[in-house]
Amino acid sequence: MFLEYEDALKRPEHREAAGLTTDQVDRVLAALASAMEPVEVHFVWRPQLDDPGDELVLEAAVNGRADGLVTHNVRDFARVAPRFGLEVVRPGALLGRVAP
């Protein structure tokens, strides 16, 4: 999943929208990597979602015993999240909670 984050964050349109340079994105990724914990997948919950790539995110959240998912893709995850006791929030909403 980390490689997927890296790919998405380094896309020119995402860097431009965030106003970040590649070096700044690398620093964000390094901070993220230092806070991540490996998650061993014990169960495969598929299929739950329409996008196979999203299945990896759901499996990591469920197996990592996450309380929620932070994503712009709220619509797809919101319909399955209650089955696993997950809250789904957009990044901006989470930031509003952390830094009002």
Side-chain angles (χ1 to χ4, degrees):
M1 284 190 50
F2 183 82
L3 295 175
E4 190 170 325
Y5 288 144
E6 180 180 37
D7 176 61
L9 290 173
K10 288 191 173 182
R11 291 180 194 153
E13 63 272 19
H14 292 173
R15 282 190 302 103
E16 184 178 313
L20 298 174
T21 66
T22 302
D23 186 54
Q24 289 170 316
V25 169
D26 285 338
R27 283 187 255 148
V28 168
L29 289 167
L32 182 61
S34 72
M36 291 178 132
E37 294 181 26
V39 173
E40 191 171 324
V41 176
H42 298 285
F43 306 101
V44 179
W45 303 102
R46 297 178 190 184
Q48 296 288 323
L49 301 162
D50 295 331
D51 182 350
D54 289 343
E55 296 286 356
L56 298 173
V57 175
L58 180 62
E59 286 175 4
V62 171
N63 285 287
R65 297 187 179 105
D67 294 323
L69 286 167
V70 181
T71 181
H72 287 289
N73 189 5
V74 171
R75 182 177 48 99
D76 291 341
F77 283 101
R79 66 181 178 80
V80 300
R83 291 181 208 154
F84 302 101
L86 296 169
E87 177 184 12
V88 180
V89 297
R90 294 186 188 282
L94 179 67
L95 287 175
R97 291 181 192 178
V98 176

